[in-house]
């Protein structure tokens, strides 16, 4: 398949942009797939009403088809056709965080979206992204667009055009270049089909941010155990690069100097760079251990980088103590490391 590439970074309200948007709309209306930028990660978009298009999404990603997709919208008016039970609490959260990096699982009103977009469940995950280019596309095509992360199943999520291109060129109709995703981790998924709500996947919109809007609205039963699969997608191995990654629990002293570190990468805050053995590769995750925003933004880019660098055969990444802000990144790190944690003094 010939994959069309659009670069809309410099185009705003130009005829080039309009032509591109028209072509995208035609593609979506004819069962096509387009990877587009969002502020969390790039998504692989398809018309959520079209069974054949959704089938192609699962096929292009190599993803099991019982794993439900997130539907992307640009205006609240679109919700009426396929969701029900949107309470005042949910409206408050939408108002506070949309457009933005949180998806709400809502009761599904049947008949409008195709069956397999929800994996046969009675609920549907919905998100209104804020990325300016992603948003313009959603506005112009004015369709509910189902979009899982635009990576091959089991690979780290894509946060740049190059990541998407490497995984999906030749497998999809088009890819839109929209720079590096600002947030860098997939959206928070909040299950609102029951009260109290449940965080099905932690993200950059944290529990305390949600509870600042509606106090005591989240049950943490089961959700703080980041090893336990909660959202259906979490039961599959996810996010892992080919290069083996291990998490270091705490690192206060340089690792043993007797070992050959020449093919090892250390992914640490810049404030810990002095602990990296001379012959190892240092990759800066963020400024210091408080700089979670940068760590979120860069994690997947670094995981992709490990696989691009043939020189690196293994990597250690410094974990963060679990708290409200670090739950999401630790969840992704644990998956990348296949749950392997080592103690710094054992290195
Ligand atoms: O940031 C994001 O959320 C990105 C961008 C592209 O929007 N999308 C994304 O989609 O990460 P995906 O398909 O890779 O992950 C969707 C997650 C999966 O863990 C899935 O199981 C869960 O949301 N999910 C979707 N619908 C659900 C439902 N009805 N009930 C429970 N979990 C659901
Ligand atoms: Mg994904």
């Amino acid at each position: 398949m010939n994959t069309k590439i659009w670069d809309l970074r410099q185009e705003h309200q130009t005829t080039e942009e309009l032509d591109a948007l028209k072509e995208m709309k035609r593609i979506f209306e004819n069962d096509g797939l387009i990877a587009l930028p969002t502020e969390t990660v790039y998504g692989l978009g398809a018309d959520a009403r079209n069974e054949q298009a959704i089938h192609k999404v699962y096929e292009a990603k190599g993803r099991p088809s019982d794993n439900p997709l997130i539907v992307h919208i640009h205006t609240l008016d679109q919700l009426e056709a396929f969701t029900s039970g949107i309470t005042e609490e949910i409206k408050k959260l939408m108002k506070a965080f949309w457009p933005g990096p949180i998806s709400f699982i809502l009761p599904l009103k049947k008949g409008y979206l195709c069956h397999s977009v929800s994996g046969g469940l009675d609920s549907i995950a919905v998100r209104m992204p804020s990325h300016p280019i992603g948003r313009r596309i959603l506005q112009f095509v004015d369709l509910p667009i189902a979009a899982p992360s635009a990576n091959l199943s089991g690979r780290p999520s894509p946060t740049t055009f190059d990541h998407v291109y490497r995984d999906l060129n030749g497998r999809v109709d088009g890819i839109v270049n929209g720079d590096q995703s600002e947030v860098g981790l997939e959206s928070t998924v909040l299950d609102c089909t029951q009260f109290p709500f449940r965080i099905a996947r932690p993200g950059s919109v944290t529990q305390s941010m949600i509870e600042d809007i509606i106090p005591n609205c989240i049950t943490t039963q089961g959700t703080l155990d980041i090893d336990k699969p909660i959202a259906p997608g979490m039961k599959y191995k996810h996010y892992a690069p080919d290069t083996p990654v291990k998490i270091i629990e705490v690192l206060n002293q340089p690792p043993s100097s007797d070992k050959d570190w020449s093919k090892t990468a250390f992914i640490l805050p810049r404030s810990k760079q002095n602990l990296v053995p001379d012959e190892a590769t240092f990759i800066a995750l963020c400024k210091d251990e408080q700089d979670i925003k940068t760590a979120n933004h860069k994690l997947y880019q670094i995981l992709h980088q490990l696989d691009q660098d043939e020189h690196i055969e293994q990597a250690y990444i410094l974990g963060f103590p679990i708290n409200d802000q670090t739950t999401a990144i630790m969840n992704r790190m644990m998956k990348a490391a296949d749950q392997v944690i080592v103690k710094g003094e054992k290195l």
Side-chain angles (χ1 to χ4, degrees):
M1 179 190 285
N2 193 10
T3 300
K4 172 111 199 189
I5 307 296
W6 295 277
D7 187 347
L8 296 184
R9 288 174 297 172
Q10 307 301 329
E11 308 292 342
H12 188 29
Q13 296 181 337
T14 60
T15 48
E16 283 76 13
E17 185 193 46
L18 188 62
D19 288 346
L21 291 172
K22 283 182 184 159
E23 192 177 4
M24 289 180 211
K25 189 170 167 78
R26 256 196 319 275
I27 290 172
F28 280 133
E29 286 170 347
N30 289 283
D31 323 327
L33 309 186
I34 299 172
L36 41 96
T38 89
E39 72 280 17
T40 55
V41 301
Y42 277 70
L44 177 56
D47 180 357
R49 302 166 315 163
N50 183 327
E51 193 71 53
Q52 203 180 338
I54 300 308
H55 179 75
K56 285 197 210 164
V57 170
Y58 290 117
E59 214 170 49
K61 277 182 65 85
R63 171 171 177 159
S65 60
D66 63 340
N67 200 351
L69 306 180
I70 295 174
V71 174
H72 297 68
I73 58 171
H74 66 91
T75 165
L76 294 176
D77 298 343
Q78 288 174 285
L79 287 174
E80 170 68 25
F82 61 92
T83 63
S84 61
I86 301 183
T87 59
E88 286 308 311
E89 279 99 352
I90 301 172
K91 282 185 192 159
K92 266 194 198 165
L93 294 176
M94 288 177 175
K95 190 158 182 246
F97 298 116
W98 272 2
I102 182 167
S103 304
F104 299 100
I105 301 178
L106 303 169
L108 173 67
K109 201 192 274 178
K110 296 216 162 151
Y112 183 71
L113 302 180
C114 70
H115 180 80
S116 46
V117 74
S118 57
L121 299 173
D122 294 332
S123 58
I124 186 77
V126 192
R127 181 160 95 86
M128 188 190 289
S130 67
H131 190 292
I133 296 173
R135 226 172 130 61
R136 284 211 293 283
I137 297 169
L138 291 171
Q139 258 158 6
F140 189 89
V141 304
D142 197 25
L143 293 167
I145 296 293
S149 49
N151 53 294
L152 292 175
S153 191
R155 307 273 313 130
S157 288
T159 53
T160 69
F161 168 81
D162 286 345
H163 300 159
V164 182
Y165 186 84
R166 277 201 289 274
D167 270 14
L168 296 181
N169 183 37
R171 301 174 74 90
V172 301
D173 296 282
I175 306 175
V176 181
N177 192 341
D179 272 336
Q180 183 160 5
S181 298
E182 185 70 33
V183 175
L185 296 184
E186 304 86 346
S187 62
T188 303
V189 177
L190 188 68
D191 183 354
C192 300
T193 59
Q194 50 181 26
F195 196 88
F197 305 145
R198 209 172 43 109
I199 294 181
R201 179 176 69 187
S204 63
V205 175
T206 66
Q207 179 174 339
S208 77
M209 288 163 71
I210 294 168
E211 294 202 310
D212 277 350
I213 307 296
I214 308 172
N216 306 316
C217 69
I218 292 180
T219 169
T220 54
Q221 232 178 0
T223 47
L224 283 182
D225 179 358
I226 59 177
D227 298 353
K228 220 177 183 171
I230 308 155
M234 292 187 157
K235 70 189 176 206
Y236 306 105
K237 191 175 180 232
H238 246 173
Y239 317 122
D242 292 333
T243 313
V245 176
K246 291 178 183 157
I247 297 176
I248 311 174
E249 204 178 5
V250 182
L251 188 67
N252 291 323
Q253 64 198 59
S256 154
S257 53
D258 311 339
K259 290 192 188 158
D260 175 9
W261 294 112
S262 62
K263 297 191 165 100
T264 303
F266 283 81
I267 306 162
L268 313 173
R270 202 169 277 291
S271 58
K272 297 261 181 191
Q273 184 174 2
N274 60 321
L275 299 177
V276 177
D278 284 344
E279 67 282 25
T281 302
F282 166 67
I283 301 178
L285 178 61
C286 52
K287 206 164 66 222
D288 54 34
E289 284 166 292
Q290 276 67 53
D291 186 15
I292 310 301
K293 207 173 154 194
T294 308
N296 288 350
H297 174 70
K298 285 184 68 180
L299 178 69
Y300 284 144
Q301 182 206 332
I302 291 170
L303 296 182
H304 282 273
Q305 182 187 336
L306 292 179
D307 286 347
Q308 287 304 108
D309 190 337
E310 287 178 4
H311 181 73
I312 297 172
E313 290 181 357
Q314 62 168 348
Y316 290 99
I317 186 164
L318 186 62
F320 294 96
I322 299 267
N323 59 41
D324 182 63
Q325 289 211 3
T326 60
T327 303
I329 192 163
M330 285 310 296
N331 169 274
R332 309 311 194 272
M333 274 193 202
M334 290 287 276
K335 286 167 197 293
D338 228 350
Q339 327 281 339
V340 181
I341 304 180
V342 296
K343 295 207 181 295
E345 62 270 21
K346 293 259 168 69
L347 288 178

